[in-house]
Amino acid sequence: MLVIGQNKTAYGLRKLEKPMDEVIQYRTFLETSGNYGSFFEKNVDRYTKDGRPFLTTIRAKQAYALAFAADEKFMYTVSAANRVVKNVVVSKFLISERKMSSEAYIKPSKDLKLKEKRNLKDYYVVGAAVDGDRILAYSREYSTLLSIDKNSFEVKDVYEMPLMKEPHSLAVSKDKLYVLGFENVKILLYEIEKPF
């Protein structure tokens, strides 16, 4: 499991093959069963390494990253456009080095057809997940799922999604999407059939 704060500080949890080092355990958790540890603490010196890397961006430096996804090799952040950064930015980070390997504004593929008066700058992405060779990004604005090529950052397809209460976060399985929502003081889990 990997998560990110709006300030682009990442945190990850993984199942361990052997018990966690006690110093790293104390630094990471007050208490643990010993079966899980920080995703970023692999083969590191117990006194100097930080298990919560800050992901530095260039184009999205003055934008919040509200969506985060990862595959085996890379982590991806998707920023929310604002007054200063007027485009949605995808940043790609090599997990082993925690350094950015590429970053770009999302752009439409030549075959993409958006609804009239819509622009990619208008989408407000609040959840993302990697699905094969694409990043699925859920936009709260227009209740839309964007399918973004994870290498070119081109938006290949756009899918209309059902309305949800305060959606955030996205996970994907073989045939379903999972979106968290919030209403009153309750967290909601939406389970949606993949639209493709």
Side-chain angles (χ1 to χ4, degrees), residues 138 161-162 164 175-179 190-195:
Y138 180 81
M161 301 297 287
M164 295 177 252
D175 56 352
K176 294 196 183 208
L177 303 172
Y178 303 91
V179 179
Y190 295 97
E191 192 173 308
I192 306 157
E193 295 291 325
K194 277 186 178 174

Side-chain angles (χ1 to χ4, degrees), residues 53-126:
F54 179 77
L55 305 174
T56 304
T57 60
I58 296 169
R59 288 174 182 84
K61 189 173 189 166
Q62 294 181 315
Y64 288 120
L66 302 178
F68 180 64
D71 57 25
E72 303 79 32
K73 192 172 180 182
F74 294 99
M75 296 181 286
Y76 306 85
T77 61
V78 184
S79 73
N82 61 39
R83 288 180 291 121
V84 178
V85 182
K86 300 189 184 321
N87 295 291
V88 176
V89 178
V90 176
S91 304
K92 182 177 180 178
F93 302 87
L94 189 60
I95 291 173
S96 62
E97 296 178 356
R98 303 184 222 176
K99 294 198 176 10
M100 186 170 60
S101 62
S102 62
E103 183 178 57
Y105 302 121
I106 61 171
K107 55 190 175 279
S109 65
K110 64 179 183 174
D111 300 327
L112 183 69
K113 291 182 178 35
L114 296 175
K115 286 187 177 178
E116 190 176 336
K117 295 186 181 178
R118 289 199 184 169
N119 187 312
L120 289 178
K121 295 177 183 182
D122 300 333
Y123 290 91
Y124 193 80
V125 176
V126 294

